[in-house]
Amino acid sequence: MSGDVFDGTSGSLAEGTDVLVRDGVIAEMGPSVSRPEGAEVVDLRGHTVSPGFIDTHVHLTMDAAGLAAQTLESIATKALTGLGLAREYLDYGFTTLRDLGAMDPEFPTVDLRDALAAGIVEGPRLVVAAHVLSSTAGHGDLSGFYPSRWDLPVSAVADGVARVRQLVRREHASGTDWIKTANAGGYFSTGDDPARGTWFDDEMQAVCDTAALLGLPVAVHTGGADACKQAIRSGARSLEHAYLIDGEGLDMATRAGVYVVPTMQMTLEDLAQLHAGTLPDQAVWKFRRDSEQIIETQRLIARSDVEIAFGTDCGMFPFSHGVREFQAMVDAGISPLRALRAATSVAAKLLGRADIGALRPGACADIVAMPGNPLDDIATTERVDFVMRAGRIFRRPGDGTGHPH
């Protein structure tokens, strides 16, 4: 294929670059590459060719619009629904997803990840945190959605160091890639407050220490400034949302090499619902109180030197809106280059994956292309019309369906 290349790290495009893909891997790149007999030539002139986008925060098996009812569905329904959403999202250019938690007593996203990796079904690469580990009445405890006499095993809840360790070990034994926990309240959950912490220090430390013992990184849903700092001190690898983090917390994260995944489009989605009167009742008072501060916090994150990774929280809003995160990041003050790196090379570093997030010989051939130059106009990212995942073409220019070829 031939086009102008953003390689995931450079500050400018390499114009008129050819890319040779062989056996799912980038074999050569340059102004001219060898053309083996029978090789397919894809002309992407007028396009920017980029590494496949990486969304580091999605929920393929959670539907915020009907969360209480959706959690009661079968594991098969959740996994199949998640497959459909993952396949849809691939058409927008997202070749790798990190799913950060299912609300199910089983492990639907682990099974979906394995099916995708084995080629049983087709879609993006999937990295998973199986569940959201939470304290009682914390952000991951859904019991408040149900009548008080129901005891539904949809939440992964623990209290006390011993029980926390046990829960982390259960996640590891069942094949999770990451540990996801919440150390502060959330906006869509009931009975908690995003400005307040929900783990004691020894419990949060137990999550991270047990995960580290087992070789698992930790992603922390967090909100208030103190909760953000607790997560950093405890050894988290990524702060999800970091709604109300302050300058001290950002400095701590920068020094510790902790990534921030600010999910900026979700705030715009929530604001739209607040103004339309459709935001869930339990979220209204919290979001009305915090929305202006969240917007200012996002600008503070943009001005900082912290490592920002692209993540959306899709599932809490439609996957069709996920690509708008690029524009939301730029509107908050992040440069187009930094936003693109956040969704490619920086996201890959967060995931510990040297084989994705960059275009170079030896890297996995996860490649997308879009007409125009996203460094000049970040909205170009919404016009992806070529998608290759591990050397397999799933979408081509002029193909409105996005069906695989």
Side-chain angles (χ1 to χ4, degrees):
M1 67 189 69
S2 180
D4 297 338
V5 167
F6 168 67
D7 64 9
T9 59
S10 299
S12 59
L13 304 186
E15 297 181 358
T17 300
D18 289 349
V19 181
L20 175 65
V21 173
R22 182 185 293 118
D23 298 327
V25 174
I26 297 173
E28 297 179 39
M29 284 180 60
S32 179
V33 299
S34 57
R35 296 193 178 186
E37 184 178 352
E40 180 183 0
V41 177
V42 180
D43 185 358
L44 294 174
R45 285 176 293 182
H47 284 65
T48 295
V49 179
S50 165
F53 301 150
I54 302 169
D55 190 334
T56 69
H57 192 134
V58 302
H59 295 284
L60 292 167
T61 63
M62 292 172 63
D63 175 13
L67 189 59
Q70 186 263 348
T71 56
L72 303 179
E73 294 175 346
S74 70
I75 181 175
T77 297
K78 290 173 185 172
L80 290 169
T81 300
L83 172 60
L85 292 170
R87 182 60 190 83
E88 172 192 342
Y89 212 31
L90 182 64
D91 285 344
Y92 292 97
F94 291 90
T95 55
T96 299
L97 312 177
R98 182 179 61 158
D99 187 289
L100 286 185
M103 290 296 174
D104 191 276
E106 302 292 335
F107 292 77
T109 56
V110 172
D111 292 337
L112 178 55
R113 175 202 67 194
D114 292 347
L116 287 163
I120 297 170
V121 293
E122 294 179 332
R125 179 183 296 99
L126 193 56
V127 176
V128 304
H131 299 103
V132 182
L133 310 191
S134 172
S135 65
T136 298
H139 180 58
D141 183 359
L142 294 192
S143 60
F145 281 106
Y146 303 105
S148 59
R149 297 187 69 180
W150 286 24
D151 184 17
L152 300 172
V154 295
S155 304
V157 173
D159 298 293
V161 168
R163 177 61 180 143
V164 167
R165 288 173 175 167
Q166 183 181 22
L167 204 55
V168 173
R169 286 170 171 144
R170 184 198 74 161
E171 296 289 287
H172 176 255
S174 299
T176 197
D177 300 306
W178 280 69
I179 296 299
K180 166 73 179 296
T181 188
N183 79 333
Y187 290 94
F188 277 65
S189 47
T190 62
D192 57 27
D193 184 344
R196 293 184 175 273
T198 50
W199 284 130
F200 285 105
D201 285 348
D202 61 348
E203 293 172 320
M204 185 69 231
Q205 195 67 58
V207 172
C208 291
D209 286 351
T210 310
L213 181 70
L214 300 171
L216 297 174
V218 177
V220 184
H221 162 105
T222 192
D226 288 343
C228 292
K229 293 168 196 175
Q230 181 196 61
I232 296 165
R233 288 194 303 268
S234 300
R237 183 161 174 81
S238 66
L239 306 183
E240 309 301 313
H241 318 300
Y243 295 114
L244 306 172
I245 195 169
D246 61 15
E248 181 186 18
L250 287 168
D251 288 343
M252 288 173 62
T254 302
R255 291 194 303 270
V258 176
Y259 294 76
V260 172
V261 183
T263 62
M264 294 177 173
Q265 177 61 29
M266 185 179 66
T267 298
L268 302 180
E269 301 280 337
D270 290 347
L271 275 172
Q273 287 196 57
L274 179 66
H275 295 153
T278 57
L279 197 66
D281 290 345
Q282 74 274 12
V284 171
W285 70 269
K286 294 182 276 190
F287 197 69
R288 181 175 288 137
R289 179 195 68 187
D290 292 346
S291 58
E292 289 185 9
Q293 188 176 350
I294 293 171
I295 295 295
E296 183 51 44
T297 297
Q298 291 175 354
R299 295 179 182 137
L300 184 67
I301 292 169
R303 293 193 299 270
S304 77
D305 294 326
V306 77
E307 289 273 40
I308 298 172
F310 184 104
T312 61
D313 213 8
C314 281
M316 297 298 99
F317 63 92
F319 276 80
S320 60
H321 295 186
V323 73
R324 299 178 186 176
E325 181 72 19
F326 285 106
Q327 184 65 61
M329 294 171 79
V330 171
D331 287 347
I334 295 171
S335 70
L337 175 61
R338 193 178 182 190
L340 287 169
R341 287 174 174 164
T344 53
S345 58
V346 175
K349 285 194 298 180
L350 166 60
L351 299 181
R353 296 291 297 260
D355 59 328
I356 60 175
L359 299 183
R360 55 171 177 76
C364 183
D366 287 2
I367 303 172
V368 302
M370 62 215 89
N373 183 346
L375 296 179
D376 293 336
D377 178 10
I378 197 62
T380 299
T381 53
E382 298 185 37
R383 300 192 288 273
V384 167
D385 60 4
F386 175 86
V387 179
M388 173 182 283
R389 157 80 170 87
R392 174 89 184 274
I393 297 175
F394 282 83
R395 189 169 187 183
R396 303 168 184 268
D399 176 13
T401 65
H403 292 312
H405 291 260

